[in-house]
Amino acid sequence: MQTTSLWEQTLTFFPQYLRELNDRHAPGATVTVVGASDGKFVLPLAAAGYEVIAVENDPQALYGGEILLPGSGLAHAPSLTQRIHAAGLTSRVQIQPHDFFHAELSELQADAVWTSCSWHYSANHRRPLGEFIGRMKDLLEPGGLFGAEFMMPVEDHHHLIEHYTTPDKLFRHFPSDTWEVLLTLRTDPFTERPHVGQPHDHTHRMGVLFATKPEHLNQGTRA
């Protein structure tokens, strides 16, 4: 499903995640999106028949308003709520307008969880990366699907920030007695065109990890 998200043209592994989700969970299952932004991932999940919990506390995403677009100047960005309503998907999306760590965990429980480049934002650096990943894992029951794409180090200072990580390092957060890592991928450095918040061409390197907590593995050990 194509959307008019401000982030529509940025690289993502989300299509691979959606295929994995479709293989493991039928429409009607619940997916929590951590860092829902303006709905780039929320809308296609809801359109595919999933019940979506959209976690987002950025005022621009929640309420819309003027935004500076590279090359075209000021424009009006619709809110997450407006985009969901315009797509006719209101009944399938529950917005949690909270910081991820301040929302009630019981209200975020889901069959699957997805995040895209959310933990590398400086606002999330006040907590160790392991806490962010651990809370995402805690949302899932055995059989749940974990998916995260993330920024890898490119510039020298990125190597000093654990939130710019690699698939190999993330692998350590998923012990084999309670989790099964399904997929890890990484890109070479690539040039991305200007987008919101970045007015010039810039270099990224991205990774992704999918994991599941199979029902047949030891459920008595907390990961």
Side-chain angles (χ1 to χ4, degrees):
M1 172 184 175
Q2 293 297 312
T3 75
T4 55
S5 168
L6 294 171
W7 309 99
E8 191 64 41
Q9 302 306 316
T10 56
L11 179 69
T12 180
F13 292 100
F14 178 74
Q16 291 96 316
Y17 178 79
L18 186 56
R19 287 195 293 270
E20 189 71 38
L21 180 66
N22 289 337
D23 287 343
R24 293 174 175 275
H25 295 284
T30 301
V31 183
T32 295
V33 177
V34 180
S37 187
D38 66 359
K40 176 179 178 179
F41 308 112
V42 170
L43 270 64
L45 284 166
Y50 294 99
E51 302 296 318
V52 183
I53 301 171
V55 185
E56 182 57 68
N57 71 334
D58 177 65
Q60 177 68 57
L62 290 172
Y63 308 115
E66 285 192 341
I67 196 162
L68 183 63
L69 296 178
S72 56
L74 287 176
H76 177 78
S79 69
L80 176 60
T81 300
Q82 289 171 324
R83 296 193 64 231
I84 293 168
H85 178 76
L89 298 171
T90 302
S91 64
R92 292 189 186 151
V93 180
Q94 174 193 341
I95 297 175
Q96 284 282 343
H98 308 293
D99 181 283
F100 177 46
F101 283 92
H102 294 162
E104 290 292 333
L105 193 64
S106 61
E107 296 182 0
L108 307 182
Q109 297 286 336
D111 301 296
V113 62
W114 167 256
T115 196
S116 174
C117 301
S118 57
W119 62 53
H120 79 277
Y121 284 106
S122 58
N124 291 320
H125 292 179
R126 64 185 183 274
R127 294 179 182 271
L129 178 58
E131 288 188 21
F132 199 111
I133 295 170
R135 187 164 173 83
M136 285 183 61
K137 290 162 57 180
D138 286 344
L139 305 184
L140 301 174
E141 297 296 330
L145 177 65
F146 177 105
E149 62 184 10
F150 46 89
M151 295 297 183
M152 296 176 58
V154 175
E155 301 177 16
D156 288 344
H157 74 275
H158 291 163
H159 293 276
L160 303 176
I161 304 171
E162 67 167 345
H163 300 72
Y164 287 85
T165 188
T166 67
D168 293 343
K169 291 180 179 179
L170 283 190
F171 199 97
R172 304 168 193 167
H173 293 275
F174 297 87
S176 60
D177 60 339
T178 48
W179 288 85
E180 179 184 357
V181 174
L182 304 171
L183 175 73
T184 62
L185 293 172
R186 66 181 71 204
T187 71
D188 292 327
F190 63 93
T191 299
E192 193 158 72
R193 302 294 294 169
H195 56 68
V196 176
Q198 179 51 265
H200 307 291
D201 287 359
H202 51 287
T203 300
H204 282 319
R205 194 177 184 202
M206 290 179 62
V208 69
L209 183 144
F210 301 163
T212 187
K213 191 174 184 180
E215 298 181 17
H216 67 274
L217 292 182
N218 181 6
Q219 298 178 22
T221 303
R222 184 177 178 83

